Amino acid sequence: MTETNETAELQPEVATTHEHEHHDHAHDHEHTHQHAPALNPELTREIEVEVGADEVSKSFKTVVKRYQKLARIPGFRAGKVPETLVRSKFAKEVRQEVLESLVSERFRKAIDEQKLRPVSEPQLLDLQLFDGQPLKFKAAFEVAPEIDVAGYDSVSVTKSEAALTDEEYAAELARVLDSHATVEPVEEDRPLVDGDWAEIQFRGDIKDLAQTVTEDGVQNASTNEPITGENVLIEIGGKNTLAAFNEALRGAKAGQELKFEVDYPADFGERRLAGQTVSYDVTVKGIKHKSFPERDAEFAKQLGNYESWDEFETKLREHASDRKKSALENAAKDKMLGEFIEKFQFPVPEAFVQQQIEARLDRGLRALAQQGMKVEDMRKLDFQQLRASQRDLALNEVKVSMILDRIAEVEGVTLSEEDLERELLLLSIQSREPLETLRDRLSNDGGLDRIREQMRREKTGSVLYEKLAS
Protein backbone atom coordinates (compact mmCIF):
# COMPACT_ATOMS: atom_id res chain seq x y z
CA MET A 1 0.00 0.00 0.00
CA THR A 2 1.14 3.53 -0.70
CA GLU A 3 0.19 6.67 1.18
CA THR A 4 -0.14 9.85 -0.81
CA ASN A 5 1.56 11.93 1.90
CA GLU A 6 4.02 9.35 3.21
CA THR A 7 4.81 5.76 2.38
CA ALA A 8 3.18 3.09 4.47
CA GLU A 9 5.55 0.43 3.10
CA LEU A 10 3.14 -2.46 3.57
CA GLN A 11 3.22 -5.60 1.48
CA PRO A 12 1.32 -4.80 -1.75
CA GLU A 13 -1.52 -6.84 -3.10
CA VAL A 14 -0.11 -9.11 -5.77
CA ALA A 15 -1.24 -7.96 -9.20
CA THR A 16 -1.44 -10.27 -12.19
CA THR A 17 1.83 -10.24 -14.12
CA HIS A 18 1.68 -10.09 -17.90
CA GLU A 19 5.26 -10.93 -18.75
CA HIS A 20 6.99 -14.32 -18.84
CA GLU A 21 10.07 -12.72 -17.32
CA HIS A 22 13.11 -14.37 -15.73
CA HIS A 23 14.62 -11.58 -13.63
CA ASP A 24 18.29 -12.51 -13.52
CA HIS A 25 19.61 -8.97 -13.88
CA ALA A 26 23.00 -9.11 -15.56
CA HIS A 27 23.50 -5.44 -14.98
CA ASP A 28 23.19 -2.79 -12.31
CA HIS A 29 20.92 0.00 -13.44
CA GLU A 30 19.20 2.80 -11.67
CA HIS A 31 15.74 3.24 -13.14
CA THR A 32 13.36 4.12 -10.34
CA HIS A 33 9.71 3.11 -10.26
CA GLN A 34 7.04 5.76 -9.92
CA HIS A 35 6.22 6.45 -6.26
CA ALA A 36 2.45 6.58 -6.68
CA PRO A 37 1.53 5.72 -10.28
CA ALA A 38 -1.62 7.12 -11.78
CA LEU A 39 -4.65 4.86 -11.70
CA ASN A 40 -7.03 4.35 -14.59
CA PRO A 41 -10.14 6.34 -13.51
CA GLU A 42 -12.51 3.84 -15.19
CA LEU A 43 -11.15 1.03 -13.03
CA THR A 44 -10.43 2.91 -9.81
CA ARG A 45 -12.37 1.98 -6.71
CA GLU A 46 -12.20 3.48 -3.20
CA ILE A 47 -13.05 2.08 0.19
CA GLU A 48 -13.22 3.88 3.55
CA VAL A 49 -12.04 2.25 6.76
CA GLU A 50 -12.28 3.45 10.37
CA VAL A 51 -10.60 2.08 13.51
CA GLY A 52 -11.59 3.26 16.97
CA ALA A 53 -9.20 5.21 19.22
CA ASP A 54 -9.15 2.46 21.86
CA GLU A 55 -8.03 -0.15 19.34
CA VAL A 56 -5.37 2.21 17.98
CA SER A 57 -3.99 2.73 21.50
CA LYS A 58 -4.09 -1.00 22.18
CA SER A 59 -2.10 -1.71 19.00
CA PHE A 60 0.51 0.94 19.89
CA LYS A 61 0.91 -0.54 23.40
CA THR A 62 1.31 -4.08 22.04
CA VAL A 63 4.02 -3.07 19.59
CA VAL A 64 5.86 -0.86 22.10
CA LYS A 65 5.92 -3.69 24.69
CA ARG A 66 7.46 -6.01 22.12
CA TYR A 67 10.14 -3.45 21.32
CA GLN A 68 10.83 -3.05 25.06
CA LYS A 69 11.59 -6.77 25.25
CA LEU A 70 13.67 -6.94 22.07
CA ALA A 71 15.49 -3.59 22.02
CA ARG A 72 19.19 -3.57 22.86
CA ILE A 73 20.27 -0.10 24.00
CA PRO A 74 23.57 0.58 25.85
CA GLY A 75 22.98 1.44 29.51
CA PHE A 76 19.78 -0.59 29.85
CA ARG A 77 19.33 -4.23 30.69
CA ALA A 78 17.58 -6.45 28.15
CA GLY A 79 13.82 -6.06 28.48
CA LYS A 80 14.11 -3.00 30.74
CA VAL A 81 14.19 -0.18 28.15
CA PRO A 82 11.74 2.59 29.20
CA GLU A 83 8.56 2.93 27.16
CA THR A 84 9.20 6.63 26.50
CA LEU A 85 12.62 5.84 25.01
CA VAL A 86 11.20 3.13 22.77
CA ARG A 87 8.48 5.49 21.53
CA SER A 88 11.02 8.19 20.65
CA LYS A 89 13.88 6.04 19.32
CA PHE A 90 11.75 3.59 17.33
CA ALA A 91 8.86 5.92 16.43
CA LYS A 92 8.96 5.14 12.72
CA GLU A 93 9.27 1.38 13.19
CA VAL A 94 6.48 1.28 15.77
CA ARG A 95 4.16 3.31 13.56
CA GLN A 96 4.93 1.02 10.62
CA GLU A 97 4.00 -2.11 12.55
CA VAL A 98 0.80 -0.51 13.85
CA LEU A 99 -0.12 0.36 10.27
CA GLU A 100 0.49 -3.21 9.15
CA SER A 101 -1.60 -4.65 11.97
CA LEU A 102 -4.50 -2.20 11.64
CA VAL A 103 -4.64 -1.25 7.97
CA SER A 104 -3.82 -4.45 6.09
CA GLU A 105 -6.27 -6.65 7.98
CA ARG A 106 -9.14 -4.18 7.70
CA PHE A 107 -8.42 -3.42 4.08
CA ARG A 108 -8.59 -7.09 3.16
CA LYS A 109 -11.77 -7.53 5.19
CA ALA A 110 -13.38 -4.52 3.47
CA ILE A 111 -12.58 -5.71 -0.05
CA ASP A 112 -13.83 -9.22 0.80
CA GLU A 113 -17.12 -7.79 2.08
CA GLN A 114 -17.55 -5.71 -1.08
CA LYS A 115 -16.34 -8.57 -3.31
CA LEU A 116 -13.64 -6.42 -4.88
CA ARG A 117 -10.42 -7.78 -6.37
CA PRO A 118 -7.61 -5.20 -6.49
CA VAL A 119 -5.08 -5.63 -9.30
CA SER A 120 -2.91 -2.67 -8.28
CA GLU A 121 -1.11 -1.69 -5.12
CA PRO A 122 -3.67 0.20 -2.97
CA GLN A 123 -2.89 3.86 -2.34
CA LEU A 124 -3.81 5.21 1.09
CA LEU A 125 -5.49 8.62 1.02
CA ASP A 126 -5.65 11.16 3.86
CA LEU A 127 -4.28 8.75 6.45
CA GLN A 128 -3.64 10.17 9.92
CA LEU A 129 -2.34 7.79 12.55
CA PHE A 130 -1.74 8.97 16.11
CA ASP A 131 -1.83 7.07 19.39
CA GLY A 132 -5.12 7.62 21.21
CA GLN A 133 -6.97 8.95 18.14
CA PRO A 134 -9.30 7.17 15.69
CA LEU A 135 -7.71 5.94 12.49
CA LYS A 136 -9.57 6.80 9.31
CA PHE A 137 -8.34 6.30 5.79
CA LYS A 138 -9.43 5.75 2.22
CA ALA A 139 -7.74 3.26 -0.07
CA ALA A 140 -7.80 3.68 -3.85
CA PHE A 141 -6.94 0.84 -6.23
CA GLU A 142 -7.68 -0.59 -9.64
CA VAL A 143 -9.86 -3.58 -10.37
CA ALA A 144 -9.86 -5.85 -13.40
CA PRO A 145 -12.15 -4.77 -16.26
CA GLU A 146 -15.01 -6.82 -17.66
CA ILE A 147 -13.86 -8.07 -21.07
CA ASP A 148 -16.50 -9.07 -23.61
CA VAL A 149 -14.92 -11.15 -26.38
CA ALA A 150 -18.15 -12.01 -28.17
CA GLY A 151 -17.42 -12.50 -31.86
CA TYR A 152 -13.78 -13.48 -31.44
CA ASP A 153 -14.40 -16.54 -33.60
CA SER A 154 -15.60 -14.38 -36.50
CA VAL A 155 -12.15 -12.85 -37.06
CA SER A 156 -10.75 -14.19 -40.34
CA VAL A 157 -7.16 -15.36 -40.52
CA THR A 158 -5.53 -16.11 -43.87
CA LYS A 159 -2.99 -18.90 -44.06
CA SER A 160 0.01 -18.00 -46.19
CA GLU A 161 1.65 -20.51 -48.55
CA ALA A 162 4.24 -22.17 -46.32
CA ALA A 163 5.91 -24.44 -48.88
CA LEU A 164 9.61 -23.72 -49.34
CA THR A 165 10.39 -22.57 -52.89
CA ASP A 166 13.40 -23.78 -54.86
CA GLU A 167 14.83 -20.26 -54.74
CA GLU A 168 14.49 -20.10 -50.96
CA TYR A 169 16.16 -23.48 -50.54
CA ALA A 170 18.97 -22.51 -52.91
CA ALA A 171 19.60 -19.36 -50.84
CA GLU A 172 19.62 -21.46 -47.63
CA LEU A 173 22.12 -23.91 -49.11
CA ALA A 174 24.25 -21.08 -50.46
CA ARG A 175 24.54 -19.61 -46.94
CA VAL A 176 25.76 -22.95 -45.60
CA LEU A 177 28.29 -23.41 -48.40
CA ASP A 178 29.49 -19.82 -48.16
CA SER A 179 30.18 -20.15 -44.43
CA HIS A 180 32.60 -23.04 -45.22
CA ALA A 181 34.19 -21.56 -48.34
CA THR A 182 37.85 -20.61 -48.59
CA VAL A 183 39.02 -17.43 -50.31
CA GLU A 184 42.44 -17.27 -51.99
CA PRO A 185 44.11 -14.46 -53.96
CA VAL A 186 44.52 -14.78 -57.76
CA GLU A 187 48.23 -14.20 -58.46
CA GLU A 188 48.14 -13.83 -62.27
CA ASP A 189 47.87 -10.38 -63.78
CA ARG A 190 44.48 -10.48 -65.47
CA PRO A 191 41.17 -8.59 -65.47
CA LEU A 192 38.13 -9.52 -63.40
CA VAL A 193 35.74 -11.98 -65.06
CA ASP A 194 32.42 -13.47 -64.02
CA GLY A 195 32.88 -15.87 -61.11
CA ASP A 196 35.75 -13.84 -59.62
CA TRP A 197 35.47 -11.98 -56.34
CA ALA A 198 36.76 -8.42 -56.33
CA GLU A 199 38.25 -7.15 -53.07
CA ILE A 200 37.42 -3.45 -53.06
CA GLN A 201 37.67 -0.29 -51.02
CA PHE A 202 34.94 2.24 -51.69
CA ARG A 203 33.37 5.54 -50.75
CA GLY A 204 29.85 6.42 -51.83
CA ASP A 205 28.32 9.90 -51.67
CA ILE A 206 24.54 10.14 -51.76
CA LYS A 207 23.57 12.76 -54.31
CA ASP A 208 21.21 15.41 -53.01
CA LEU A 209 18.30 16.68 -55.08
CA ALA A 210 19.22 20.19 -53.94
CA GLN A 211 22.74 21.19 -54.97
CA THR A 212 24.71 24.44 -55.02
CA VAL A 213 27.60 25.58 -57.19
CA THR A 214 30.69 26.91 -55.38
CA GLU A 215 34.28 27.65 -56.31
CA ASP A 216 35.04 24.01 -55.60
CA GLY A 217 32.34 22.75 -57.94
CA VAL A 218 28.90 21.23 -57.34
CA GLN A 219 28.11 20.48 -53.70
CA ASN A 220 25.10 18.93 -51.97
CA ALA A 221 22.96 21.36 -50.01
CA SER A 222 22.53 18.87 -47.15
CA THR A 223 25.27 16.81 -45.51
CA ASN A 224 24.73 13.06 -45.89
CA GLU A 225 27.31 10.82 -44.29
CA PRO A 226 29.31 8.98 -46.98
CA ILE A 227 29.08 5.20 -47.34
CA THR A 228 32.48 3.56 -46.91
CA GLY A 229 33.91 0.05 -46.95
CA GLU A 230 37.30 -1.64 -46.63
CA ASN A 231 38.26 -5.09 -47.94
CA VAL A 232 34.74 -5.81 -49.19
CA LEU A 233 34.26 -8.85 -51.44
CA ILE A 234 31.98 -8.49 -54.47
CA GLU A 235 31.10 -11.44 -56.72
CA ILE A 236 31.38 -10.48 -60.39
CA GLY A 237 28.23 -11.59 -62.18
CA GLY A 238 26.68 -12.75 -58.91
CA LYS A 239 22.89 -12.63 -58.77
CA ASN A 240 23.07 -10.60 -55.55
CA THR A 241 25.50 -8.09 -57.06
CA LEU A 242 23.99 -4.88 -58.40
CA ALA A 243 24.19 -4.58 -62.18
CA ALA A 244 26.08 -1.26 -61.94
CA PHE A 245 28.84 -2.91 -59.87
CA ASN A 246 29.04 -5.87 -62.28
CA GLU A 247 29.38 -3.54 -65.28
CA ALA A 248 31.96 -1.29 -63.60
CA LEU A 249 34.14 -4.05 -62.15
CA ARG A 250 34.01 -6.57 -64.99
CA GLY A 251 37.31 -6.24 -66.90
CA ALA A 252 39.04 -4.11 -64.24
CA LYS A 253 42.44 -5.07 -62.80
CA ALA A 254 43.95 -4.94 -59.32
CA GLY A 255 45.02 -1.40 -58.41
CA GLN A 256 42.56 0.25 -60.77
CA GLU A 257 40.42 3.15 -59.51
CA LEU A 258 36.85 3.49 -60.77
CA LYS A 259 34.13 6.14 -60.60
CA PHE A 260 30.49 5.36 -61.31
CA GLU A 261 26.94 6.06 -60.12
CA VAL A 262 24.29 3.65 -58.88
CA ASP A 263 20.55 4.37 -58.98
CA TYR A 264 18.95 2.33 -56.21
CA PRO A 265 15.33 1.19 -56.72
CA ALA A 266 12.64 2.57 -54.40
CA ASP A 267 12.09 -0.89 -52.88
CA PHE A 268 15.77 -1.50 -52.12
CA GLY A 269 16.26 -3.46 -48.89
CA GLU A 270 18.45 -0.86 -47.17
CA ARG A 271 16.12 2.04 -46.43
CA ARG A 272 18.89 4.65 -46.41
CA LEU A 273 19.72 3.88 -50.06
CA ALA A 274 16.22 3.17 -51.42
CA GLY A 275 15.41 5.54 -54.26
CA GLN A 276 18.79 7.29 -53.97
CA THR A 277 21.56 7.93 -56.48
CA VAL A 278 25.03 7.26 -55.08
CA SER A 279 28.33 8.38 -56.61
CA TYR A 280 31.04 5.77 -55.90
CA ASP A 281 34.83 5.97 -55.84
CA VAL A 282 36.09 2.37 -55.90
CA THR A 283 39.62 0.96 -55.73
CA VAL A 284 40.17 -2.67 -56.78
CA LYS A 285 42.61 -4.01 -54.19
CA GLY A 286 42.78 -7.57 -55.51
CA ILE A 287 41.16 -10.49 -57.27
CA LYS A 288 40.02 -13.41 -55.17
CA HIS A 289 38.86 -16.91 -55.94
CA LYS A 290 36.36 -18.57 -53.63
CA SER A 291 36.47 -22.34 -53.31
CA PHE A 292 33.57 -24.34 -51.92
CA PRO A 293 33.84 -27.79 -50.31
CA GLU A 294 32.78 -30.89 -52.18
CA ARG A 295 29.19 -31.86 -51.54
CA ASP A 296 29.91 -35.35 -50.32
CA ALA A 297 29.49 -37.57 -47.25
CA GLU A 298 32.71 -36.28 -45.67
CA PHE A 299 31.47 -32.67 -45.76
CA ALA A 300 28.03 -33.79 -44.55
CA LYS A 301 29.66 -35.36 -41.46
CA GLN A 302 31.44 -32.05 -40.76
CA LEU A 303 28.06 -30.31 -40.79
CA GLY A 304 26.47 -32.68 -38.27
CA ASN A 305 25.46 -36.26 -37.65
CA TYR A 306 24.69 -37.01 -41.30
CA GLU A 307 25.63 -40.21 -43.14
CA SER A 308 25.37 -38.74 -46.64
CA TRP A 309 25.07 -35.45 -48.50
CA ASP A 310 21.50 -36.35 -49.51
CA GLU A 311 20.57 -36.82 -45.85
CA PHE A 312 22.03 -33.41 -45.01
CA GLU A 313 20.07 -31.72 -47.82
CA THR A 314 16.87 -33.46 -46.73
CA LYS A 315 17.30 -32.23 -43.14
CA LEU A 316 18.31 -28.75 -44.31
CA ARG A 317 15.17 -28.51 -46.43
CA GLU A 318 13.03 -29.71 -43.48
CA HIS A 319 14.58 -27.18 -41.08
CA ALA A 320 14.22 -24.34 -43.59
CA SER A 321 10.59 -25.33 -44.26
CA ASP A 322 9.82 -25.44 -40.53
CA ARG A 323 11.37 -22.00 -40.00
CA LYS A 324 9.39 -20.52 -42.89
CA LYS A 325 6.16 -22.10 -41.65
CA SER A 326 6.79 -20.84 -38.12
CA ALA A 327 7.61 -17.33 -39.34
CA LEU A 328 4.45 -17.17 -41.49
CA GLU A 329 2.29 -18.53 -38.67
CA ASN A 330 3.71 -16.04 -36.20
CA ALA A 331 3.05 -13.19 -38.63
CA ALA A 332 -0.54 -14.41 -39.13
CA LYS A 333 -1.04 -14.75 -35.37
CA ASP A 334 0.29 -11.22 -34.83
CA LYS A 335 -2.18 -9.94 -37.42
CA MET A 336 -5.00 -11.88 -35.72
CA LEU A 337 -4.08 -10.44 -32.32
CA GLY A 338 -3.91 -6.96 -33.83
CA GLU A 339 -7.48 -7.40 -35.04
CA PHE A 340 -8.53 -8.48 -31.54
CA ILE A 341 -7.02 -5.28 -30.13
CA GLU A 342 -9.08 -3.24 -32.59
CA LYS A 343 -12.26 -5.28 -32.10
CA PHE A 344 -12.37 -5.42 -28.29
CA GLN A 345 -12.18 -2.10 -26.47
CA PHE A 346 -11.90 -2.05 -22.68
CA PRO A 347 -10.07 -0.03 -20.00
CA VAL A 348 -6.66 -1.40 -19.03
CA PRO A 349 -5.29 -1.25 -15.46
CA GLU A 350 -2.40 1.20 -15.32
CA ALA A 351 -0.63 -1.20 -12.92
CA PHE A 352 -0.41 -3.82 -15.69
CA VAL A 353 0.88 -1.27 -18.20
CA GLN A 354 3.60 -0.10 -15.80
CA GLN A 355 4.65 -3.69 -15.11
CA GLN A 356 4.97 -4.36 -18.83
CA ILE A 357 6.92 -1.14 -19.43
CA GLU A 358 9.38 -2.18 -16.70
CA ALA A 359 9.66 -5.69 -18.18
CA ARG A 360 10.43 -4.27 -21.64
CA LEU A 361 12.91 -1.82 -20.14
CA ASP A 362 14.64 -4.59 -18.20
CA ARG A 363 14.99 -6.69 -21.37
CA GLY A 364 16.42 -3.73 -23.27
CA LEU A 365 18.94 -2.94 -20.55
CA ARG A 366 20.05 -6.57 -20.32
CA ALA A 367 20.61 -6.56 -24.08
CA LEU A 368 22.69 -3.38 -23.81
CA ALA A 369 24.73 -4.96 -21.02
CA GLN A 370 25.37 -8.05 -23.15
CA GLN A 371 26.51 -5.77 -25.97
CA GLY A 372 29.10 -4.27 -23.62
CA MET A 373 27.43 -1.07 -22.44
CA LYS A 374 28.98 0.10 -19.17
CA VAL A 375 26.96 0.63 -16.00
CA GLU A 376 27.97 4.29 -15.76
CA ASP A 377 26.70 4.87 -19.30
CA MET A 378 23.41 3.14 -18.47
CA ARG A 379 22.92 5.52 -15.57
CA LYS A 380 23.06 8.44 -17.99
CA LEU A 381 20.08 7.16 -19.99
CA ASP A 382 16.86 9.17 -19.92
CA PHE A 383 14.63 6.56 -18.24
CA GLN A 384 11.57 8.81 -18.30
CA GLN A 385 11.86 9.10 -22.08
CA LEU A 386 12.59 5.37 -22.43
CA ARG A 387 9.46 4.49 -20.47
CA ALA A 388 7.35 6.89 -22.53
CA SER A 389 8.65 5.34 -25.76
CA GLN A 390 7.63 1.85 -24.57
CA ARG A 391 4.12 2.76 -23.46
CA ASP A 392 2.11 2.09 -26.64
CA LEU A 393 3.75 -1.29 -27.24
CA ALA A 394 3.36 -2.25 -23.57
CA LEU A 395 -0.32 -1.24 -23.60
CA ASN A 396 -1.05 -3.44 -26.63
CA GLU A 397 0.86 -6.36 -25.10
CA VAL A 398 -1.23 -6.12 -21.94
CA LYS A 399 -4.44 -5.93 -24.00
CA VAL A 400 -3.45 -9.05 -25.92
CA SER A 401 -2.67 -10.93 -22.69
CA MET A 402 -6.01 -10.00 -21.14
CA ILE A 403 -7.94 -10.91 -24.31
CA LEU A 404 -6.19 -14.27 -24.59
CA ASP A 405 -6.85 -14.99 -20.91
CA ARG A 406 -10.56 -14.32 -21.43
CA ILE A 407 -10.75 -16.40 -24.63
CA ALA A 408 -8.87 -19.22 -22.88
CA GLU A 409 -11.70 -19.30 -20.33
CA VAL A 410 -14.31 -19.43 -23.08
CA GLU A 411 -12.46 -22.09 -25.09
CA GLY A 412 -11.51 -24.09 -22.00
CA VAL A 413 -7.80 -24.01 -22.85
CA THR A 414 -5.71 -25.65 -20.14
CA LEU A 415 -2.00 -26.28 -19.71
CA SER A 416 -0.82 -29.74 -18.76
CA GLU A 417 1.86 -30.32 -16.15
CA GLU A 418 3.83 -32.24 -18.80
CA ASP A 419 3.96 -29.08 -20.97
CA LEU A 420 5.13 -27.05 -17.99
CA GLU A 421 7.82 -29.62 -17.11
CA ARG A 422 9.16 -29.55 -20.68
CA GLU A 423 9.41 -25.75 -20.52
CA LEU A 424 11.19 -25.87 -17.17
CA LEU A 425 13.63 -28.47 -18.50
CA LEU A 426 14.38 -26.24 -21.48
CA LEU A 427 14.92 -23.23 -19.20
CA SER A 428 17.16 -25.37 -16.98
CA ILE A 429 19.33 -26.35 -19.94
CA GLN A 430 19.50 -22.78 -21.26
CA SER A 431 20.39 -21.26 -17.89
CA ARG A 432 22.56 -24.21 -16.77
CA GLU A 433 20.66 -24.22 -13.50
CA PRO A 434 19.68 -27.57 -11.94
CA LEU A 435 16.02 -28.33 -12.64
CA GLU A 436 14.98 -28.70 -9.00
CA THR A 437 16.82 -25.50 -8.00
CA LEU A 438 15.12 -23.64 -10.86
CA ARG A 439 11.68 -25.00 -9.95
CA ASP A 440 12.08 -24.07 -6.27
CA ARG A 441 13.27 -20.54 -7.08
CA LEU A 442 10.44 -19.91 -9.55
CA SER A 443 7.89 -21.31 -7.09
CA ASN A 444 9.10 -18.93 -4.39
CA ASP A 445 9.24 -15.73 -6.48
CA GLY A 446 6.02 -16.24 -8.45
CA GLY A 447 7.88 -16.99 -11.67
CA LEU A 448 6.23 -20.38 -12.07
CA ASP A 449 2.77 -18.81 -12.23
CA ARG A 450 4.01 -16.25 -14.76
CA ILE A 451 5.45 -19.00 -16.97
CA ARG A 452 2.22 -20.99 -16.69
CA GLU A 453 0.16 -17.92 -17.67
CA GLN A 454 2.38 -17.09 -20.64
CA MET A 455 2.36 -20.69 -21.91
CA ARG A 456 -1.43 -20.81 -21.66
CA ARG A 457 -1.66 -17.61 -23.70
CA GLU A 458 0.67 -18.99 -26.35
CA LYS A 459 -1.37 -22.19 -26.50
CA THR A 460 -4.59 -20.16 -26.79
CA GLY A 461 -3.10 -18.20 -29.69
CA SER A 462 -2.22 -21.45 -31.46
CA VAL A 463 -5.68 -22.92 -30.83
CA LEU A 464 -7.30 -19.78 -32.26
CA TYR A 465 -5.01 -19.76 -35.28
CA GLU A 466 -5.91 -23.38 -36.15
CA LYS A 467 -9.59 -22.65 -35.57
CA LEU A 468 -9.80 -19.39 -37.52
CA ALA A 469 -7.22 -19.82 -40.29
CA SER A 470 -8.60 -20.58 -43.72
Side-chain angles (χ1 to χ4, degrees):
M1 292 189 186
T2 302
E3 290 182 64
T4 55
N5 51 354
E6 66 179 297
T7 307
E9 298 177 1
L10 300 186
Q11 289 294 323
E13 295 290 317
V14 177
T16 305
T17 304
H18 289 266
E19 185 64 29
H20 175 174
E21 199 60 41
H22 189 8
H23 287 288
D24 282 337
H25 290 282
H27 54 274
D28 173 26
H29 57 82
E30 293 182 344
H31 64 286
T32 56
H33 298 255
Q34 293 179 356
H35 175 63
L39 305 179
N40 186 328
E42 293 182 75
L43 300 173
T44 299
R45 303 292 183 270
E46 286 188 6
I47 60 173
E48 295 186 32
V49 179
E50 181 174 344
V51 182
D54 290 344
E55 195 166 350
V56 172
S57 294
K58 181 180 177 182
S59 182
F60 267 100
K61 285 180 180 178
T62 301
V63 174
V64 168
K65 281 183 179 179
R66 194 165 61 82
Y67 269 78
Q68 280 183 278
K69 292 179 180 179
L70 300 176
R72 297 291 182 266
I73 297 178
F76 296 93
R77 285 184 298 164
K80 299 297 182 180
V81 180
E83 180 179 330
T84 52
L85 184 57
V86 168
R87 287 180 177 270
S88 61
K89 190 171 183 63
F90 300 103
K92 182 179 178 181
E93 290 82 0
V94 169
R95 180 181 188 274
Q96 181 61 39
E97 291 200 25
V98 171
L99 270 176
E100 290 180 4
S101 66
L102 294 178
V103 175
S104 294
E105 180 184 345
R106 280 158 181 78
F107 173 78
R108 288 179 175 84
K109 183 179 179 181
I111 62 173
D112 286 344
E113 289 174 350
Q114 297 185 39
K115 295 182 172 56
L116 295 171
R117 178 178 168 264
V119 295
S120 70
E121 180 180 351
Q123 297 177 11
L124 302 185
L125 312 174
D126 306 323
L127 183 146
Q128 299 293 325
L129 176 59
F130 298 101
D131 191 357
Q133 296 184 21
L135 166 64
K136 293 182 181 180
F137 68 87
K138 292 180 183 178
F141 49 87
E142 291 177 303
V143 295
E146 292 291 332
I147 304 175
D148 182 4
V149 292
Y152 72 88
D153 51 359
S154 66
V155 171
S156 62
V157 179
T158 304
K159 272 190 177 179
S160 300
E161 177 54 52
L164 194 72
T165 66
D166 290 341
E167 291 78 10
E168 289 168 338
Y169 174 70
E172 192 73 22
L173 179 59
R175 281 192 288 274
V176 173
L177 295 174
D178 196 60
S179 66
H180 290 81
T182 57
V183 180
E184 298 175 352
V186 174
E187 301 296 344
E188 63 179 300
D189 180 21
R190 65 168 179 80
L192 284 159
V193 297
D194 284 2
D196 287 336
W197 291 76
E199 182 181 2
I200 67 171
Q201 172 185 323
F202 67 86
R203 173 192 169 102
D205 292 304
I206 299 176
K207 296 185 69 175
D208 202 321
L209 294 176
Q211 295 180 326
T212 58
V213 179
T214 68
E215 294 177 357
D216 299 322
V218 177
Q219 292 185 352
N220 289 342
S222 61
T223 56
N224 288 311
E225 288 293 321
I227 307 160
T228 59
E230 295 279 344
N231 304 322
V232 176
L233 290 176
I234 298 286
E235 184 184 12
I236 308 304
K239 64 179 182 179
N240 293 323
T241 305
L242 290 170
F245 275 86
N246 280 327
E247 293 168 8
L249 291 170
R250 189 181 288 121
K253 288 188 173 184
Q256 192 168 342
E257 296 181 0
L258 308 169
K259 289 181 179 291
F260 57 93
E261 288 187 352
V262 176
D263 294 322
Y264 288 91
D267 60 353
F268 191 67
E270 189 174 342
R271 187 175 300 177
R272 180 187 176 192
L273 299 178
Q276 301 285 355
T277 297
V278 180
S279 177
Y280 281 101
D281 289 307
V282 176
T283 299
V284 181
K285 300 183 71 175
I287 301 175
K288 303 282 185 178
H289 176 70
K290 187 177 283 192
S291 299
F292 297 93
E294 288 293 327
R295 305 180 191 185
D296 54 19
E298 183 179 348
F299 182 39
K301 289 177 182 177
Q302 293 179 28
L303 295 170
N305 189 26
Y306 305 109
E307 294 298 324
S308 67
W309 180 254
D310 286 343
E311 183 185 353
F312 164 72
E313 284 211 78
T314 299
K315 293 298 183 182
L316 180 65
R317 188 179 292 274
E318 288 176 1
H319 293 327
S321 295
D322 289 344
R323 283 200 302 274
K324 179 180 180 182
K325 181 182 178 182
S326 179
L328 290 173
E329 284 187 2
N330 287 337
K333 287 176 186 176
D334 286 344
K335 187 173 184 297
M336 174 185 73
L337 295 175
E339 291 192 29
F340 285 157
I341 290 173
E342 292 296 321
K343 186 178 183 67
F344 306 122
Q345 300 297 319
F346 55 90
V348 177
E350 184 63 22
F352 291 176
V353 178
Q354 291 302 319
Q355 287 172 10
Q356 194 69 3
I357 288 173
E358 292 300 328
R360 293 181 63 85
L361 189 57
D362 284 346
R363 286 201 305 270
L365 291 174
R366 279 199 297 273
L368 290 176
Q370 291 170 359
Q371 293 165 15
M373 188 173 191
K374 296 178 181 178
V375 172
E376 53 267 29
D377 293 328
M378 281 190 186
R379 288 173 176 157
K380 297 175 185 176
L381 295 172
D382 185 345
F383 288 104
Q384 185 174 356
Q385 192 277 330
L386 287 174
R387 283 194 187 87
S389 68
Q390 298 294 322
R391 182 174 179 80
D392 288 345
L393 289 171
L395 178 62
N396 282 340
E397 287 170 351
V398 172
K399 281 185 175 180
V400 164
S401 294
M402 298 181 77
I403 290 169
L404 288 175
D405 287 345
R406 183 70 189 97
I407 294 177
E409 294 175 5
V410 176
E411 288 280 333
V413 178
T414 58
L415 186 72
S416 70
E417 287 304 311
E418 290 79 8
D419 289 339
L420 182 61
E421 281 301 307
R422 277 194 294 271
E423 179 70 11
L424 291 180
L425 180 59
L426 181 60
L427 287 174
S428 172
I429 294 170
Q430 290 174 343
S431 63
R432 298 181 181 179
E433 185 176 4
L435 180 58
E436 289 306 317
T437 305
L438 174 71
R439 185 187 290 108
D440 289 344
R441 179 174 59 77
L442 292 174
S443 296
N444 292 332
D445 68 9
L448 203 58
D449 289 334
R450 292 195 294 271
I451 291 173
R452 189 180 281 109
E453 285 176 349
Q454 186 62 19
M455 291 182 66
R456 187 187 184 210
R457 289 169 189 143
E458 290 171 359
K459 185 175 181 179
T460 303
S462 296
V463 167
L464 288 172
Y465 174 73
E466 292 302 326
K467 182 175 182 176
L468 303 179
S470 57

